[in-house]
Amino acid sequence: MKEKHNTHPVMDAHVLIFPLPLQGPINSMLKLAELLCLRQINVTVVITQHIQRRLFDSSAIQTYMETNYGGAFRFESIPDGLSEEHPRTIREFSALLASLSAVAPPILQQMVSVREISCIVAEGIFSFASDIAGEIGVPLFYFDTYSACALWANMCLPQLIQAGELPFKDDNLDETIRNAPGMEGIIRRRDLPSLCRGIDLEDPEIKLLLKQAHLMPLSQGIILNTFHQLDSSLLSHMFKLFPNIYAIGPLHTLLQTQTSQNTSSSILPEDRSCISWLDKQPSKSVVYVSIGSLALMTKDQFLEFWYGLVNSGSRFLLVQRPGSVAGLDDGIPEELLEGAGGRGCVVSWAPQQEVLDHRAVGGFLTHCGWNSILESVVAGKPMICWPHHFDQQVNSRYVGEVWKVGLDMKDSCDRVVVEKMVREVMELRKNEFLERARQQSEAARSSVGEGGSSAKDLDRLIDDIKNMKLLPKHH
Ligand code: UDP
């Protein structure tokens, strides 16, 4: 039964939350914000004006305005320093990060002082948050909204460089990595975060990651969207560096156990027609295919996916996000759709959690964004992984080799491979994968239930936030 928390706040604690302005981090941070509001903590979520416009256009922002948690929840928007027309695609991520890192600090500093903020929760990559917290004397928690395995790989970067494993000495991407404790025998060069390939130690993004590795252990604590049972072997290593970890995931499920209010943080309008299509399909017969909110494909890659799916004989629901496939701006040509023989459904953006939870979906062909993986884990759906960028290379290795709830297609985009993997997950090894996925889903759900590890870590985080004292200023 859902326990409903009192939403009439009696508040002193006021948390400022600052997510990366991308769909995945926004989703996780907003879930955290709601969980805090439900426990009588004031929250100001700082988003960029660009994200605010998109949340407004998708109607998501209205759901927060309506819910508003007795006035405890508020959005504040700031510029990201880029022009309105700037495309802000994954290709320009470095520019966005650099611009935001220049524009945001003085605005946030002012906000923290004026609003009497009692602590800051910032995305792990925002190293400037440490300066603000130190300057004003406000405690800082870093919330790394990506996976624990990717965070740990990033934390190991300094020692990989020192040991001479990075930059790679040759082109052999299958060489195993030796100097990442807890990951020995698991990850190869190709499984390291994408920017390790062709790494330039002078690259500003690498410098930022190295700075992150230095600063994160100095913060008040680290919040992670994972649960102890999923990442136990890594967490035991991480505790040595970060004694105060709050593993409170899967956040979307934790929130569902604590409130029946239904907010949406989607920055694109959802096409719900796919739900009625799914309603007409047999149980566990459909592969859901999505590459998330940022990943891009060439038209050739898209066609390999398409023919692989069609040739597999499986039914499929495919998300073709506007602008995600170069050269297919007008949608999928009619002859391709006809060739799918009615077994395919295409939408521009799906209500993903609901899709994954649907009884007709039997597998997920995913780019391995961390939110997508967690949503699939909770729904008990096996995965076929086609990682694209950032943490996704590490995540997909863990799906295939550690959690064993799917197959990793990394670095290949070939219709024969797509067909083979879809057949394996949807037919040949279906029961094996479904059984493991079911066990993992059960573990995820019990971690957020009463007495579960994530529920307990959230209680501890909330107590710590409420008891937070201002720190002495660093001068
Ligand atoms: N998503 C969605 N509809 C879609 C595709 C994705 O609502 O058609 C959501 C998905 O549920 C997830 C988020 O977008 O919560 C994507 O985040 P993720 O971390 O998986 O990947 P990113 O988009 O950051 O690469």
Side-chain angles (χ1 to χ4, degrees):
M1 207 180 72
K2 283 189 178 173
E3 183 195 344
K4 293 209 186 113
H5 288 277
N6 177 5
T7 53
H8 298 293
V10 187
M11 295 179 203
D12 297 310
H14 188 168
V15 181
L16 182 137
I17 296 190
F18 190 44
L20 256 180
L22 304 175
Q23 178 74 80
I26 293 277
N27 284 355
S28 316
M29 291 270 196
L30 283 175
K31 302 278 178 288
L32 172 64
E34 290 183 73
L35 284 161
L36 298 184
C37 289
L38 284 166
R39 306 285 191 91
Q40 288 81 51
I41 293 175
N42 264 316
V43 174
T44 296
V45 180
V46 182
I47 52 176
T48 61
Q49 287 159 354
H50 175 76
I51 289 291
Q52 186 187 36
R53 272 195 297 278
R54 299 194 66 184
L55 285 172
F56 198 83
D57 291 345
S58 69
S59 305
I61 216 157
Q62 286 83 320
T63 63
Y64 286 91
M65 305 268 180
E66 282 156 20
T67 306
N68 131 327
Y69 296 100
F73 181 97
R74 69 196 288 176
F75 277 120
E76 204 56 72
S77 69
I78 63 169
D80 61 17
L82 299 174
S83 69
E84 221 168 289
E85 309 71 49
H86 194 285
R88 295 174 179 79
T89 70
I90 185 67
R91 288 195 205 96
E92 296 89 18
F93 178 72
S94 304
L96 172 63
L97 201 56
S99 172
L100 197 57
S101 303
V103 170
I107 309 176
L108 293 178
Q109 187 148 349
Q110 163 85 356
M111 232 179 245
V112 171
S113 309
V114 172
R115 297 268 161 81
E116 298 185 349
I117 296 294
S118 48
C119 79
I120 301 175
V121 173
E123 184 76 43
I125 196 76
F126 288 141
S127 55
F128 58 78
S130 291
D131 300 334
I132 299 174
E135 179 62 31
I136 304 181
V138 170
L140 166 69
F141 294 91
Y142 272 122
F143 179 6
D144 202 86
T145 56
Y146 294 94
S147 59
C149 52
L151 171 62
W152 190 236
N154 285 345
M155 287 296 133
C156 293
L157 287 182
Q159 64 207 63
L160 293 177
I161 293 169
Q162 208 176 16
E165 285 200 77
L166 269 178
F168 305 150
K169 297 253 182 312
D170 53 55
D171 293 340
N172 179 13
L173 291 178
D174 290 320
E175 180 79 25
T176 52
I177 295 296
R178 294 180 305 279
N179 286 281
M183 294 177 144
E184 304 95 338
I186 298 172
I187 60 165
R188 307 155 297 176
R189 287 175 178 168
R190 68 172 74 249
D191 306 314
L192 283 172
S194 54
L195 82 178
C196 291
R197 298 189 191 186
I199 192 171
D200 167 6
L201 299 181
E202 292 308 310
D203 182 325
E205 250 180 90
I206 293 292
K207 288 191 167 170
L208 203 58
L209 285 178
L210 293 175
K211 198 166 172 192
Q212 179 190 10
H214 169 69
L215 288 174
M216 280 185 86
L218 305 177
S219 68
Q220 194 76 37
I222 304 294
I223 302 170
L224 292 175
N225 192 6
T226 186
F227 54 102
H228 285 258
Q229 201 176 329
L230 186 72
D231 278 320
S232 57
S233 60
L234 277 184
L235 285 170
S236 62
H237 289 276
M238 295 174 87
F239 277 124
K240 293 177 197 154
L241 186 63
F242 309 122
N244 197 20
I245 294 178
Y246 308 88
I248 57 171
L251 270 166
H252 67 288
T253 319
L254 182 53
L255 181 62
Q256 275 165 2
T257 64
Q258 310 215 344
T259 180
S260 50
Q261 277 154 350
N262 206 3
T263 43
S264 161
S265 48
S266 182
I267 57 174
L268 283 164
E270 292 167 347
D271 181 347
R272 297 192 52 81
S273 66
C274 55
I275 300 291
S276 28
W277 182 82
L278 283 175
D279 288 342
K280 296 190 207 99
Q281 311 306 319
S283 175
K284 304 253 184 323
S285 67
V286 176
V287 197
Y288 169 59
V289 186
S290 161
I291 59 167
S293 65
L294 289 166
L296 302 170
M297 271 187 176
T298 62
K299 189 172 174 185
D300 286 347
Q301 287 175 323
F302 178 84
L303 291 175
E304 292 304 309
F305 264 80
W306 183 268
Y307 284 114
L309 286 164
V310 171
N311 297 344
S312 75
S314 190
R315 293 160 205 258
F316 61 92
L317 165 59
L318 183 141
V319 177
Q320 197 213 341
R321 196 184 79 242
S324 60
V325 184
L328 269 193
D329 294 338
D330 296 331
I332 298 173
E334 207 47 48
E335 65 271 19
L336 282 189
L337 289 170
E338 277 167 19
R343 289 195 312 275
C345 171
V346 181
V347 290
S348 58
W349 191 249
Q352 181 165 302
Q353 271 180 49
E354 206 177 323
V355 165
L356 285 168
D357 285 336
H358 199 286
R359 51 140 203 98
V361 172
F364 184 13
L365 174 36
T366 170
H367 72 306
C368 287
W370 187 235
N371 288 275
S372 294
I373 291 187
L374 281 180
E375 289 159 14
S376 201
V377 162
V378 173
K381 303 295 157 79
M383 288 165 260
I384 301 160
C385 306
W386 187 68
H388 190 263
H389 57 258
F390 296 160
D391 59 330
Q392 297 155 16
Q393 271 72 15
V394 195
N395 300 347
S396 62
R397 184 66 172 171
Y398 271 69
V399 168
E401 286 296 307
V402 179
W403 305 319
K404 297 190 190 301
V405 285
L407 299 172
D408 187 5
M409 198 166 92
K410 178 176 294 138
D411 297 325
S412 119
C413 188
D414 177 314
R415 65 189 71 186
V416 176
V417 179
V418 174
E419 177 188 342
K420 183 171 167 288
M421 292 201 167
V422 170
R423 281 187 193 278
E424 222 165 306
V425 168
M426 298 298 287
E427 295 169 32
L428 305 173
R429 298 172 63 192
K430 178 176 180 170
N431 292 339
E432 168 198 336
F433 281 125
L434 278 174
E435 176 51 24
R436 255 188 243 119
R438 188 193 61 74
Q439 289 170 9
Q440 218 178 49
S441 164
E442 228 165 64
R445 288 175 198 275
S446 59
S447 75
V448 300
E450 213 180 319
S453 63
S454 297
K456 282 201 219 151
D457 272 14
L458 177 69
D459 288 345
R460 189 164 55 85
L461 174 65
I462 285 171
D463 283 348
D464 290 350
I465 288 176
K466 286 184 174 170
N467 295 324
M468 213 103 256
K469 302 269 181 308
L470 290 189
L471 302 170
K473 285 188 187 189
H474 291 179
H475 281 302

